[in-house]
Amino acid sequence: MKKIIIMSVLLLTLAGCGQKAAETKDTDQAQTTVTTTAKNTNTQSTSSSTSTKNSTNTKQTDALAELKKENPEALLPTDIPRDENRALNIAMDKQSDSLAVLYYIMDTPLVLNDQSLNQQTPFARYKMEQFDTKAAAKKAVSYQFDDGGKKVDLGHNITAYSQGAAGSTYLNWQEGNWSILVRASNVAGQDGTALAKEVVNYLEKATLPAPKDVGQITIDMAQNGYEANQVVWQEGKTVYTVAHEDTIPALEMAVSMNK
């Protein structure tokens, strides 16, 4: 039975956003998350066009409103599923060819790019990146579909293909121009089929952006953090990525960007 090679997910963080897309490093080297998002207020970040702020000296405002104000033309998710009883804080890095955003849930509201976010862990991410060519953008999506293996009925006339490799089970199926891949750990006793059916049921009621080119959804049940659930799609030379620590909320973020 063939192995499915799970996509090398673009986990680009704020430190890497300033690079041209064609020169983007491997995601294994991009795990610094927010260490370059917010430097000490006495030091200008070398990779960010926006210096950080100290909330003790700056009037606290709505970080989401600040983000929208600074990026009025950007296609951003309007729904960031979270605990509405807590504050949504945001770190942003804007470059000429990219915009990267990390979202944090905290007890205290902070200004956009507050330096204290260095010590926090984001629960969701957004990125827009422009490439030199459509081919380069498509490559960045890492679209993959494999119809080998055992057929699995997910309902709603959708068939997935199941394969096992290295202690994991992979389910892969297509919906329009989207390929969806779910990895479950056999060692941890995870049920990828149950989650796949949940995803299919949700997408019967909600509409993802319809990529003119390709889109890839990768769900890794064995991974923690926002990297576990990635939704990536291509619009010409532009690639959008949203990610969330939970599966359905990641899809909800993408759905909220449906133009």
Side-chain angles (χ1 to χ4, degrees):
M1 188 177 293
K2 295 184 293 180
K3 295 184 179 179
I4 283 188
I5 301 176
I6 199 165
M7 64 174 284
S8 177
V9 184
L10 294 181
L11 302 180
L12 300 178
T13 59
L14 303 184
C17 295
Q19 287 188 298
K20 293 295 294 180
E23 299 173 355
T24 302
K25 295 182 179 180
D26 187 86
T27 55
D28 290 338
Q29 300 173 345
Q31 300 301 315
T32 54
T33 313
V34 295
T35 55
T36 59
T37 303
K39 301 288 186 181
N40 186 282
T41 52
N42 295 323
T43 304
Q44 176 76 22
S45 171
T46 58
S47 64
S48 173
S49 58
T50 304
S51 61
T52 60
K53 306 171 184 178
N54 189 326
S55 61
T56 60
N57 298 322
T58 308
K59 182 179 178 181
Q60 291 183 357
T61 58
D62 184 338
L64 188 58
E66 286 187 88
L67 176 67
K68 293 177 181 178
K69 183 178 180 180
E70 293 200 20
N71 303 279
E73 303 300 322
L75 177 61
L76 293 163
T78 58
D79 185 12
I80 316 296
R82 62 192 187 279
D83 181 355
E84 297 287 348
N85 295 318
R86 302 181 69 196
L88 176 66
N89 293 316
I90 297 173
M92 175 198 80
D93 180 59
K94 186 176 183 179
Q95 303 294 330
S96 61
D97 60 356
S98 65
L99 173 65
V101 180
L102 292 175
Y103 301 92
Y104 305 79
I105 193 72
M106 299 168 63
D107 293 327
T108 303
L110 303 172
V111 295
L112 181 69
N113 277 358
D114 188 273
Q115 65 178 2
S116 65
L117 295 177
N118 278 332
Q119 287 73 50
Q120 303 298 322
T121 301
F123 71 92
R125 177 170 68 95
Y126 159 90
K127 185 170 184 181
M128 178 280 296
E129 195 164 16
Q130 295 178 333
F131 290 76
D132 292 333
T133 66
K134 287 185 178 181
K138 183 175 182 179
K139 183 177 180 181
V141 173
S142 296
Y143 182 90
Q144 55 185 311
F145 177 69
D146 190 338
D147 59 0
K150 179 182 177 181
K151 291 183 177 181
V152 178
D153 183 7
L154 299 181
H156 303 285
N157 295 316
I158 292 178
T159 299
Y161 299 89
S162 174
Q163 300 184 49
S168 298
T169 297
Y170 299 89
L171 279 173
N172 199 187
W173 72 97
Q174 291 176 311
E175 296 197 32
N177 287 348
W178 288 93
S179 175
I180 306 173
L181 179 65
V182 176
R183 172 188 175 242
S185 170
N186 298 334
V187 177
Q190 295 172 334
D191 186 354
T193 300
L195 180 57
K197 289 180 177 180
E198 185 179 354
V199 169
V200 168
N201 288 335
Y202 172 75
L203 294 179
E204 282 296 306
K205 301 177 292 183
T207 304
L208 288 166
K212 297 177 182 178
D213 301 285
V214 293
Q216 177 72 42
I217 298 172
T218 303
I219 301 165
D220 190 342
M221 298 176 66
Q223 191 170 6
N224 295 319
Y226 69 79
E227 299 96 336
N229 303 282
Q230 306 261 351
V231 184
V232 188
W233 69 100
Q234 175 192 7
E235 291 292 340
K237 298 179 182 179
T238 303
V239 172
Y240 294 97
T241 301
V242 295
H244 196 289
E245 62 187 9
D246 295 315
T247 302
I248 299 302
L251 300 176
E252 290 173 340
M253 286 179 68
V255 166
S256 75
M257 294 173 63
N258 188 22
K259 296 180 290 184

